[in-house]
Amino acid sequence: MMTRICDLRLDKNPLELSEVSKPTPAERELLLKVHTCGVCHTELDEIEGRTPPARLPIILGHQVVGIVEGTGPRVKKFRPGDRIGVAWIYSACGECRFCRSGQENLCPDFRATGRDADGGYAEFMTVEEDFAYPVPKALSDAEAAPLLCAGAIGYRSLKLTGLQDGQRLGLTGFGASGHLVLHLVKHRFPRSKTYVFARAEKEREFARELGAVWAGDTEETPPEKMDAIIDTTPAWKPVVEALRNLAAGGRLVINAIRKEDADKDYLQRLDYPQHLWMEKEIKSVANVTRADVSEFLELAAAIPIRPEIDVYSLEEANKALLEIKDRGIRGAKVLRVAS
Ligand SMILES: [Zn+2]
Ligand SMILES: [Zn+2]
C-alpha cells in the first residue's frame, strides 16, 4: 500500500504491507482474487509524485490477473471461477465525445487502476465487469500480466506510428514494453527492421537476442534513418536523439505518462533543421482503450508472444520497483500474489 509521495532514491521502501478488509463488489463489479500483478514504470511516477494518486493511502498496480471470486447482483458477463485481467483503464464516462468516438483513453473522466482506485498489489480488488477482460488460456497468469499495460500500450504506440511493412522502426528504451513491441513487429511487419537505442548494455544485448538488427547507445548513429521511433524512456535526451535519427516525414511516438526533469536542459540542443524540419512529427500516447487491451491479448495468444518475466513476491514489490528505477532490466517484472 502506498501511503506517501517520496523520492525512491532516498526512501527505498515506499510501499507498506498492511491488512486491509476484503472489498465488496458494487452492483456491476467483480471481486477478483489476485494471482499476479505486473510492475510498471508508471508506479514510479505515482510514488514520486509525477502523476500522484487521487487519494492516499492507495493500492498500486494496473496489470492484474486473477480469478473472479464474487460478483455484484447485476453482473452479466462473468461468473465466479472465470480468469480475468484488469488494465490501466479502470473507468471512463462513456458519454463524452472521446468515449463515443473510440477514444475513451482521452476521456476527461478517465480513471486509472491503482491510481484513482485500488489496484492489484493486493490479494483482492474490485472492478466493473465492463472493464475486465477474459485472459486467453494460452497465457499463464505471470505471462499475461505484463501484456495488460506494457503490451497493450506498446500495441497502441505501434498503431500510432502508422508503420508499414518494410519500414524501419526504432525503439528508444528497451524495457517491458519495448521487448513486447519487438515481438509484435516481427510478426505483423516481417519485412521491417527494428533498431534499438538503450543506455544499458544489458538491454542492448537482450534486443539483439530478440532480433533487433542494430542496438546502440542513445546518442549513437545507426546506419540508416528510421521511418518511426517509439520512445519509452523517462528522459529528454532520447527524444532529441530520436528526432535526429528520423527520416524525412518520420514520426516519433512518445510512450510515457510523464517525463522526468533531470535532463530537461538537453532540449536546448534541439536544432530545427536537424531535428524537426522535413515534416517530422511527434505524437504522445495517452492511456489505453479497452479495444487496445482485448485486441492485444488475442494477438499475443495467437502469435504467440511470450514475455520475458522476472517473478517477485508481493512483499518484494519495493525491490522490483527500485530495479526498474535503476534500469538495465530484461523484460518485465511481475508480482505473484497467489496461484
Ligand atoms: Zn503501466
Ligand atoms: Zn468520456
Side-chain angles (χ1 to χ4, degrees), residues 7 11 104 137 186 199 204 286 289:
D7 180 339
D11 183 349
E104 59 189 8
K137 282 199 180 66
K186 279 199 295 194
R199 221 173 46 177
R204 299 196 289 263
T289 65

Side-chain angles (χ1 to χ4, degrees), residues 192-227:
S192 287
K193 290 180 187 164
T194 305
Y195 300 71
V196 170
F197 304 83
R199 221 173 46 177
E201 177 50 32
K202 196 175 172 189
E203 290 174 345
R204 299 196 289 263
E205 224 177 76
F206 184 36
R208 285 183 211 109
E209 254 173 62
L210 293 184
V213 295
W214 180 93
D217 204 349
T218 317
E219 69 269 25
E220 278 183 55
T221 303
E224 300 163 297
K225 298 263 186 200
M226 309 290 117
D227 298 298

